[in-house]
Amino acid sequence: MRAEGGRFVVAGGSRLRAWGRAFGGLMLVLAALTGCAGPYQYYEGTGIHDATATEVAGGWENVEGTRVVLHKEGTALLEKLDGQGFDFEDGWRLSGRGTWELTDDDGGQVVRLALTARTRWESRSPVTVTDTSTPEPPSTYSWSFSVDRDSHDALKLFFFYGDPDIGNTYVMTRTTGS
């Protein structure tokens, strides 16, 4: 700081303004980047609170050949169930036995499914014996399926998979005759 004509002048004042502008620009960039977060990152649930465990029990499938049977007593059979979230990218599909329960929180109901005994696994894409890019799948695993209703009030179960910015959903619907 120095005195000039009865005023105090901050030395390097223009430099301080330049740093202030740079900092402000950086904050704008960070705000824009965090604004790009996908739908999954802000997902707060379906708001469904009226499903019963009896209604959820039964057979479920998806278009990829996955089949899940949720027994009334809380046990489950799984066939070719893919990983949730980024685990989907690993390409494995698990089959085996497990347990399930219907839970409820502020955002809505969720079916928590746990594979407790893997009986087999396969890959969504052909894997050669020398291919080391596919990691060994887990021997136990847990999924959280959101509970929702379609336009006909029928239940459907889903979870998000892959990059959360994209918002891909893995949807399970009732098996025919269930």
Side-chain angles (χ1 to χ4, degrees):
M1 204 182 281
R2 66 179 191 275
E4 277 185 14
R7 297 181 308 165
F8 287 98
V9 177
V10 177
S14 62
R15 200 174 329 173
L16 185 60
R17 280 191 297 273
W19 276 106
R21 283 189 209 112
F23 182 74
L26 176 62
M27 295 310 290
L28 280 172
V29 168
L30 288 174
L33 288 175
T34 57
C36 294
Y40 171 64
Q41 293 176 357
Y42 298 112
Y43 181 70
E44 295 183 14
T46 61
I48 300 294
H49 297 281
D50 64 347
T52 64
T54 302
E55 188 179 13
V56 172
W60 297 88
E61 64 188 357
N62 81 356
V63 296
E64 299 294 321
T66 299
R67 294 183 50 82
V68 174
V69 178
L70 304 175
H71 297 285
K72 289 179 183 178
E73 76 279 357
T75 61
L77 295 174
L78 297 72
E79 185 179 333
K80 301 179 185 178
L81 187 53
D82 295 282
Q84 187 169 349
F86 280 114
D87 290 340
F88 183 85
E89 305 299 331
D90 291 340
W92 44 256
R93 308 186 84 200
L94 302 175
S95 297
R97 295 180 311 279
T99 61
W100 72 277
E101 67 176 330
L102 178 65
T103 63
D104 197 348
D105 60 26
D106 292 341
Q109 292 176 296
V110 175
V111 172
R112 308 238 184 250
L113 177 62
L115 175 71
T116 56
R118 184 181 80 191
T119 55
R120 71 178 191 281
W121 72 275
E122 59 188 64
S123 178
R124 275 194 310 276
S125 59
V127 178
T128 63
V129 175
T130 58
D131 185 0
T132 59
S133 64
T134 302
E136 175 71 23
S139 57
T140 62
Y141 193 80
S142 296
W143 294 264
S144 293
F145 285 91
S146 293
V147 177
D148 202 3
R149 293 193 181 274
D150 65 16
S151 60
H152 302 289
D153 208 32
L155 285 183
K156 63 181 179 177
L157 307 177
F158 72 92
F159 62 76
F160 291 99
Y161 69 90
D163 186 339
D165 287 337
I166 297 172
N168 291 323
T169 54
Y170 192 94
V171 180
M172 302 288 293
T173 57
R174 285 285 183 193
T175 56
T176 307
S178 234

